[in-house]
Amino acid sequence: MSSHREAPEISKDPVADSSDLYAFVSPDDPDTVTIIANYVPLQLPASGPNFFEFGDDVLYEIHVDSNGDGRPDLTYQFRFRTELRNNRTFLYNTGQIKSLDDKNWNRRQFFSVTKVDKHGKHTVLHSKLPCPPCNVGKISIPDYEKLAEDAVHKLKTGEKVFAGQRADAFFVDLGAIFDLGTLRPFQDKHLIGKTLFKGPGKAVNATDQLNVHSIAIQLPLSAVRKDGKKSVRGRDPGAVIGVWTTASRRQVEVRQGDKKNADVEVGPQVQVSRLGNPLFNEVIVPMAQKDLWNSLPPTEDKRFAEFVEQPELAALLPVLYPGLFDNLAKLNKAKTPRADLLAILLTGIPDGIIDNFQNFTGETQADMLRLNTVVPPSKEPNAFGILGGDLAGFPNGRRIEDDVVSISLRAIAGVTVPLVDEKFKPDAAAALVEQGLSAKNLTSKPLKKFPFLGTPFDGFDNPS
Amino acid sequence: MSRVHYGTRAVSRFSRRRVLTIAGAVGVGAATAGVAGLSLAGETSSSNDSAPLVISLRDAKKGTFDVFSGESKVTLTDKKLAARLLKAVKRA
């Protein structure tokens, strides 16, 4: 998965677990950037009476680096608070919920938004904004879309924010991929699969009909660019931003048992979750270091560069698919550092490698989702992003429709090596490899406007 | 974990009473002086006298304490206090 269960410790703490991060120039307002950080992954919609929510004891943050040093120049902090209307009922709602302040809605959640500038100055932009309810079902919530629209808030400082449940838009054939690297379209070519299957299989989207909790913010491009420039050339380093999200918990927690309201959470915030590029911690970082990676800032990512230079998955592909990745096998054998992957994941792609494009942030190796903010949104997005000739897609930021699993597979399989080594000829299979899914497979279609992620699946009909 | 708030104010029977508890596990976490905060995660004011304070004896031999208050952590050394705590939990 992108980052749904990417590390041992955080997989046991889903409330603080970031699962996907998106950053793109907004197609509904091209003078702005939209950043979406998903948390609380793999939500079964029918989860009453205690439906999913953000952690009141978790600090959620979205960071933007404007000058390429891997440190935040702008951070938005989101803190949550849950309120009960009625402490004599076991129900989430005691009647239909028709508005965000409906008296029938018993357990509501609110959030604050704090902006932290590059000097560390904290400004609370709003102290109490309502989240929408979870999508209980059509009996309880007759018009969910209306409630969700009401939960999009425009702040006086210009930002648009939303925090609440949405449909998970990530698509991945999880069951096959983590069953010894099987890609169902190529299952009959797999080392073991060829003994089981006579032909290709149809991919299964393992995250379909599941929800997440999303924190989304839309803000002017000038607010995220270095020196606040409204206009900048695409080649200018100031056109590129790096984005990542983190979740933190207090260092100390003392539980008081039956005296629940006397529980103590105190001390510095300790980072427990981080996400920049999809799949970085999931498939690049060894399991023994995944929890460590989650606790570190991007400035420490040079520690993990060796795993990008020689990714484990690149070594596995020729073994799992015999005869299909011979050129990759030779590259692996020569122990040639993967400068293409180092650029894509840790520094950005320098100017002059891809026509009319760069998202280079300098020599500091840091896992951030890098976005050249000058590239306008595509009218017809290509799911393969830059590999498909669409400069507005991953790895230039990340859009909802980008097939980051297949893009990453193709890159690791060698299709991006010629960017740094013209003599290398990728295997034919490298340009064909894919998981066999696309955003078209999403049951809940993404919206064309903020917050873009589709209506969460309701508990009445899902699972069906 | 999360505190749930009723209405617009937290229910806290201990909000103005300072409690000192010596925890059993010296070296893991030692003493708490606690009340429930009314604020959102991470917004507890450390200047509030009734705000939680947690003391952890990190190294009993050296008498190294970590004192957690608000969003900060202060490290101090007090061998005598460490010895008293060890005695209290019958480790001395």
Side-chain angles (χ1 to χ4, degrees):
Chain A
M1 284 186 261
S2 175
S3 185
H4 289 58
R5 292 181 56 80
E6 88 288 357
E9 284 305 310
I10 198 63
S11 67
K12 301 166 196 162
D13 186 9
V15 165
D17 188 4
S18 55
S19 55
D20 278 290
L21 176 69
Y22 303 91
F24 49 87
V25 177
S26 316
D28 62 338
D29 187 355
D31 291 330
T32 67
V33 61
T34 296
I35 303 170
I36 306 169
N38 287 348
Y39 283 87
V40 205
L42 303 174
Q43 298 176 16
L44 189 71
S47 291
N50 294 291
F51 290 90
F52 294 91
E53 59 196 20
F54 291 103
D56 286 8
D57 52 355
V58 177
L59 171 63
Y60 300 90
E61 294 177 294
I62 289 172
H63 308 278
V64 179
D65 172 25
S66 305
N67 61 9
D69 63 0
R71 294 182 169 82
D73 295 299
L74 177 64
T75 293
Y76 283 90
Q77 299 181 328
F78 300 84
R79 295 176 172 89
F80 293 83
R81 172 183 171 120
T82 304
E83 292 184 7
L84 278 183
R85 282 189 191 279
N86 180 350
N87 61 2
R88 302 286 294 174
T89 178
F90 69 94
L91 292 166
Y92 183 78
N93 55 298
T94 53
Q96 286 194 317
I97 302 173
K98 293 181 178 176
S99 68
L100 293 181
D101 59 355
D102 199 308
K103 288 180 180 172
N104 290 327
W105 183 12
N106 185 34
R107 190 177 175 95
R108 298 174 300 159
Q109 198 160 40
F110 300 88
F111 66 104
S112 71
V113 185
T114 301
K115 180 180 174 181
V116 185
D117 70 14
K118 60 185 175 185
H119 305 295
K121 183 186 172 191
H122 288 56
T123 306
V124 178
L125 304 185
H126 205 291
S127 59
K128 192 175 181 182
L129 295 163
C131 299
C134 285
N135 198 351
V136 175
K138 56 193 172 190
I139 310 297
S140 289
I141 306 179
D143 190 352
Y144 191 88
E145 286 78 6
K146 168 73 167 52
L147 285 185
E149 275 188 33
D150 290 346
V152 172
H153 308 286
K154 182 83 184 272
L155 303 178
K156 286 179 182 173
T157 41
E159 299 90 342
K160 208 181 268 186
V161 292
F162 170 90
Q165 193 180 46
R166 302 307 293 167
D168 193 345
F170 184 54
F171 43 95
V172 61
D173 192 344
L174 191 67
I177 286 175
F178 283 101
D179 193 2
L180 279 182
T182 308
L183 300 164
R184 285 189 226 253
F186 304 91
Q187 62 187 17
D188 54 330
K189 309 285 191 300
H190 186 274
L191 179 67
I192 298 170
K194 66 184 177 185
T195 65
L196 301 172
F197 308 109
K198 291 181 178 172
K202 192 178 175 191
V204 176
N205 181 12
T207 49
D208 195 23
Q209 293 183 280
L210 296 176
N211 295 325
V212 292
H213 265 54
S214 303
I215 298 171
I217 186 163
Q218 190 173 79
L219 59 166
L221 293 174
S222 58
V224 294
R225 286 178 181 150
K226 187 182 176 187
D227 301 326
K229 289 181 180 173
K230 282 190 177 176
S231 179
V232 65
R233 293 172 61 236
R235 284 185 148 172
D236 190 322
V240 182
I241 60 170
V243 180
W244 71 102
T245 184
T246 58
S248 303
R249 289 185 175 280
R250 294 299 195 92
Q251 192 167 357
V252 178
E253 178 183 329
V254 181
R255 297 189 186 187
Q256 305 286 11
D258 61 330
K259 302 182 185 75
K260 182 72 180 164
N261 289 305
D263 283 358
V264 172
E265 290 131 19
V266 71
Q269 298 285 355
V270 177
Q271 186 180 304
V272 295
S273 179
R274 171 162 69 110
L275 180 57
N277 279 299
L279 305 164
F280 189 95
N281 199 15
E282 179 123 350
V283 301
I284 297 286
V285 178
M287 190 175 284
Q289 296 188 46
K290 287 177 185 294
D291 295 330
L292 170 68
W293 188 91
N294 265 337
S295 74
L296 295 172
T299 47
E300 294 296 317
D301 286 339
K302 55 184 176 295
R303 297 192 203 184
F304 305 93
E306 63 174 302
F307 306 115
V308 180
E309 287 180 351
Q310 306 286 339
E312 185 180 6
L313 187 55
L316 288 173
L317 283 172
V319 177
L320 293 174
Y321 296 90
L324 293 185
F325 296 101
D326 291 343
N327 293 345
L328 177 64
K330 287 176 194 165
L331 190 72
N332 293 337
K333 196 175 177 185
K335 296 198 178 300
T336 309
R338 292 292 301 272
D340 56 323
L341 299 178
L342 286 168
I344 291 168
L345 296 172
L346 290 178
T347 63
I349 301 167
D351 194 10
I353 291 181
I354 296 172
D355 287 345
N356 299 315
F357 178 76
Q358 63 93 16
N359 64 355
F360 186 62
T361 52
E363 297 301 322
T364 301
Q365 292 183 320
D367 173 47
M368 302 186 290
L369 198 51
R370 289 175 174 79
L371 175 67
N372 187 319
T373 58
V374 172
V375 179
S378 300
K379 287 179 181 165
E380 293 182 18
N382 185 308
F384 284 90
I386 288 181
L387 296 191
D390 181 353
L391 300 179
F394 183 74
N396 185 33
R398 180 187 172 191
R399 302 167 300 194
I400 290 161
E401 55 266 57
D402 289 335
D403 182 358
V404 294
V405 172
S406 296
I407 294 170
S408 301
L409 278 171
R410 289 185 182 186
I412 287 173
V415 294
T416 51
V417 174
L419 294 176
V420 295
D421 179 3
E422 289 178 352
K423 292 177 185 169
F424 180 80
K425 189 181 177 203
D427 297 289
L432 299 172
V433 69
E434 61 175 318
Q435 59 169 342
L437 293 169
S438 77
K440 290 173 186 167
N441 297 102
L442 294 172
T443 305
S444 178
K445 302 300 178 197
L447 310 181
K448 294 193 181 304
K449 62 179 183 177
F450 186 85
F452 294 101
L453 295 173
T455 300
F457 296 95
D458 74 82
F460 186 88
D461 289 319
N462 299 281
S464 55
Chain B
M1 303 299 281
S2 301
R3 283 183 293 276
V4 175
H5 299 264
Y6 297 84
T8 56
R9 291 178 61 89
V11 171
S12 176
R13 287 171 290 163
F14 303 91
S15 61
R16 294 296 164 197
R17 187 155 63 98
R18 196 174 177 101
V19 181
L20 179 66
T21 308
I22 297 179
V26 175
V28 178
T32 68
V35 295
L38 297 178
S39 57
L40 295 153
E43 290 182 332
T44 305
S45 168
S46 57
S47 61
N48 182 354
D49 279 349
S50 61
L53 181 79
V54 175
I55 303 169
S56 169
L57 178 51
R58 177 153 45 91
D59 188 327
K61 211 169 186 178
K62 293 179 182 172
T64 307
F65 289 88
D66 290 325
V67 183
F68 299 92
S69 174
E71 287 208 49
S72 70
K73 179 179 80 171
V74 176
T75 300
L76 58 87
T77 304
D78 190 330
K79 282 190 177 181
K80 283 185 180 175
L81 179 58
R84 282 175 58 200
L85 287 170
L86 287 174
K87 194 175 176 183
V89 297
K90 297 183 171 50
R91 275 182 49 180

